[in-house]
Amino acid sequence: MERTTSRTRLAAAAALALVTAACASAIPSAHAGAAGSARAGAVAQGAPTATTSGTDETTVRAASSGAAAARCRTTGLKARVGRVDAGAGQRYAPLVLTNTSSKTCWVYGFVGLIMIDGHGDALRTRTRRESVRPHRVTLRPGASAHARLHWTEIPTGSETRCPASARLMVIPPDEVAHLEIPFTARPCDDGRIDVTPMAAGATI
């Protein structure tokens, strides 16, 4: 297990967020502002290694909207991890983002993730993008979108046990600021968490 000190916790989040925002420049203008997480030093080492098959002009709407919507900002979102489905050492759960603002907005792409242990220290977190084409998801106030998280709690290689996470730092697509939520899990394989792009709804 690799752990940073609590002094590097915010620095790690900032590094991941800045790289996440920088990735947006590679997205076509129709989706300017879309992004996902990338490498953030030792803390988020191994972040998104799989590539997606491209972008899609189609807008997937969680609810109809009137005037043109803007990208959802962290300050207007609430995050939570939904019910965890377990079986044979595998874990699946939706990471839900809900629009808490008074205006319609949209999300597109992948979130950034950093696990935090019970002492408040950042844990080694490898966020791996699934090879799924992202779509823009438009959210009216109160509507939700989700990303499917997958991890294993079976030690691999030389691992004898997997680090315990208590909380999760979540950076919405193309955002710099993060949300922090409870997350009790023991992801193995050097803290690997597979994540899909944001999709409409709160369930997987």
Side-chain angles (χ1 to χ4, degrees):
M1 176 183 70
E2 181 176 329
R3 174 185 297 173
T4 67
T5 65
S6 57
R7 291 181 302 174
T8 63
R9 178 177 169 184
L10 293 180
L16 179 59
L18 289 173
V19 176
T20 297
C23 290
S25 62
I27 304 297
S29 59
H31 295 300
S37 60
R39 297 185 182 273
V43 176
Q45 188 172 6
T49 53
T51 58
T52 62
S53 56
T55 60
D56 196 309
E57 295 292 333
T58 304
T59 297
V60 179
R61 298 188 181 274
S64 60
S65 60
R71 175 171 53 83
C72 296
R73 308 306 297 262
T74 301
T75 53
L77 294 170
K78 178 178 68 175
R80 66 179 176 87
V81 174
R83 187 185 71 180
V84 177
D85 291 329
Q90 306 300 311
R91 303 290 186 270
Y92 295 89
L95 172 62
V96 182
L97 296 181
T98 300
N99 180 9
T100 59
S101 75
S102 60
K103 298 181 179 180
T104 297
C105 62
W106 55 264
V107 293
Y108 173 90
F110 298 83
V111 297
L113 304 173
I114 298 177
M115 293 185 292
I116 306 296
D117 69 9
H119 300 288
D121 294 336
L123 296 171
R124 180 181 176 90
T125 306
R126 297 198 304 129
T127 307
R128 180 184 177 277
R129 292 180 178 178
E130 297 274 12
S131 297
V132 177
R133 176 177 293 176
H135 298 269
R136 181 182 291 190
V137 183
T138 301
L139 303 175
R140 292 185 64 183
S144 299
H146 75 279
R148 187 190 69 186
L149 305 183
H150 165 255
W151 67 95
T152 178
E153 297 201 353
I154 301 175
T156 61
S158 60
E159 290 179 327
T160 57
R161 65 186 183 90
C162 304
S165 171
R167 301 186 66 79
L168 186 66
M169 297 175 68
V170 180
I171 303 174
D174 199 37
E175 282 293 283
V176 175
H178 69 274
L179 302 166
E180 189 170 322
I181 58 176
F183 182 63
T184 304
R186 289 180 175 273
C188 298
D189 195 10
D190 279 338
R192 172 175 164 174
I193 300 177
D194 299 331
V195 60
T196 62
M198 301 305 298
T203 58
I204 57 178

